[in-house]
Amino acid sequence: MKYIAGVSGGPDSMALLDKYKKKITLVCHVNYNKRDTAIRDRKIVSDYCKKNKINLKILNVTDKIYKVYKKKSNNFQNIARLIRYDFFLKNAKKINCYNLLISHNLNDFVETGIMQIKRNSKALFYGIKKNSNYKDLNIIRPLLFKPKINLKKYCETHNVSYGIDESNFSDLYERNRIRKTIDKTSLKYFYKKILKHNKKNAKLNTKITKLYSAWKQKNYLDTFLNSQNDECKYHMAYRLLSENDIPNISSTKIDSLLKFAEKSKKNKSFRLTNDLFICKK
């Protein structure tokens, strides 16, 4: 099987690139132009691809691109995610290769899980899934349960160059603050806590997955939801918002969506983002 890969130039993504270089058809790199060292990271990726004869596509994010995506979200990290995944998808279509390798690791898994816990998220699964989808992309995370420190050691052992993103040390972003909390406590401790939550909800998660799949085939949101209990309704709505990459999913937004589905009249619409609506037919 052949893959495309999202590579930032950090130790995680460079370890991924080196491990799977014989199976990677195309590397995609995004420069957000938010820090001077981004040019260094671009060169690291470019030099590696040139040396190993791997095709490379680079996106230099301009103010014009940011302006388009700000209509969808006000959160920079959400915007950056949408920009890069749309870029990956655009290039996947060009070469007809929809299997995308991403270098999320165990630290990313735990950080995401803790963020969900802190927000009192009712998600049935905390952390990051090893396989997921973004539109037509099949996202695969082969390094998900490898600690970040091991990936750095891999790069150093195999003489693979990498750059360190200095913004990861800033307290400006919630994820960075959580990262420091993990460093002070224990990655293993938080990992076990998240696994406990996921194990507890495994059966319900399977049930919701089946129900959601059945709903997608019928596509009658109000009728289908009304046949479920409140817990199933909530998680069905959460799955809908999550799969459509709706930012800042809250209990309030989910409750409003359920109320809309159950009680609103036909031809009414429910705003999900600035330019995305659910319409009731």
Side-chain angles (χ1 to χ4, degrees):
M1 184 181 290
K2 292 295 184 180
Y3 305 94
I4 64 172
V7 180
S8 67
D12 321 340
S13 65
M14 291 307 296
L16 175 81
L17 178 55
D18 194 67
K19 280 175 175 284
Y20 294 91
K21 61 187 174 185
K22 292 182 180 180
K23 295 183 178 181
I24 294 172
T25 301
L26 176 69
V27 167
C28 295
H29 174 79
V30 179
N31 177 10
Y32 297 104
N33 287 302
K34 290 294 184 181
R35 54 187 174 87
D36 294 337
T37 50
I39 298 172
R40 172 206 64 197
D41 295 347
R42 183 181 67 190
K43 188 175 187 306
I44 287 171
V45 178
S46 180
D47 288 348
Y48 186 96
C49 289
K50 186 176 181 179
K51 179 181 176 182
N52 291 277
K53 298 180 181 179
I54 302 172
N55 291 326
L56 171 66
K57 291 290 184 180
I58 296 173
L59 174 65
N60 286 300
V61 185
T62 62
D63 289 339
K64 185 178 179 180
I65 294 174
Y66 278 122
K67 189 175 180 180
V68 171
Y69 281 88
K70 280 180 180 178
K71 294 177 182 178
K72 301 180 181 181
S73 174
N74 292 320
N75 181 287
F76 172 73
Q77 291 187 326
N78 285 335
I79 291 171
R81 180 179 180 277
L82 291 172
I83 288 173
R84 66 177 173 268
Y85 278 99
D86 281 347
F87 177 61
F88 299 156
L89 180 58
K90 178 182 177 181
N91 285 284
K93 288 179 177 178
K94 287 180 179 179
I95 63 171
N96 196 31
C97 179
Y98 293 89
N99 297 309
L100 170 68
L101 294 181
I102 294 293
S103 62
H104 285 135
N105 56 61
L106 184 60
N107 294 66
D108 298 317
F109 177 92
V110 171
E111 288 162 13
T112 300
I114 296 173
M115 287 170 70
Q116 290 168 305
I117 291 170
K118 286 190 70 176
R119 294 170 184 171
N120 295 314
S121 169
K122 293 182 181 179
L124 296 175
F125 184 89
Y126 283 172
I128 304 172
K129 292 185 178 179
K130 192 161 187 176
N131 298 88
S132 62
N133 301 95
Y134 178 79
K135 299 178 181 177
D136 293 329
L137 284 174
N138 303 311
I139 304 172
I140 304 146
R141 302 175 175 90
L143 307 180
L144 189 59
F145 298 108
K146 301 285 185 183
K148 191 180 189 76
I149 191 170
N150 289 11
L151 299 176
K152 282 185 179 180
K153 287 178 181 177
Y154 174 92
C155 289
E156 289 158 5
T157 301
H158 293 81
N159 295 314
V160 177
S161 298
Y162 64 84
I164 297 295
D165 182 349
E166 297 83 358
S167 66
N168 287 336
F169 303 106
S170 168
D171 286 339
L172 181 63
Y173 302 113
E174 181 186 11
R175 184 176 290 274
N176 293 350
R177 297 193 295 270
I178 286 172
R179 187 172 294 140
K180 290 180 180 179
T181 300
I182 294 171
D183 291 341
K184 289 178 182 177
T185 311
S186 165
L187 181 67
K188 189 175 180 180
Y189 166 79
F190 287 114
Y191 178 54
K192 285 183 176 180
K193 187 174 182 179
I194 293 165
L195 287 186
K196 186 178 179 180
H197 171 89
N198 292 346
K199 185 177 180 180
K200 176 185 174 184
N201 291 295
K203 286 185 178 179
L204 181 56
N205 192 26
T206 300
K207 179 181 178 181
I208 297 300
T209 299
K210 289 180 179 178
L211 286 173
Y212 187 74
S213 178
W215 168 77
K216 286 179 78 173
Q217 292 176 16
K218 294 181 179 181
N219 210 29
Y220 293 114
L221 181 61
D222 55 343
T223 304
F224 193 80
L225 280 176
N226 287 337
S227 67
Q228 311 302 326
N229 62 38
D230 288 345
E231 185 176 43
C232 286
K233 287 180 185 179
Y234 182 93
H235 291 294
M236 288 275 287
Y238 181 92
R239 190 70 58 92
L240 173 68
L241 297 175
S242 179
E243 281 201 359
N244 284 279
D245 294 293
I246 305 304
N248 307 318
I249 302 173
S250 64
S251 296
T252 302
K253 182 170 283 189
I254 291 174
D255 290 340
S256 298
L257 173 58
L258 291 173
K259 186 177 179 181
F260 164 79
E262 294 167 8
K263 298 180 179 180
S264 68
K265 296 179 181 180
K266 291 180 181 179
N267 299 318
K268 295 292 183 179
S269 60
F270 180 86
R271 184 190 294 272
L272 294 174
T273 65
N274 288 344
D275 57 357
L276 184 63
F277 299 81
I278 288 180
C279 296
K280 189 165 184 179
K281 297 293 185 181

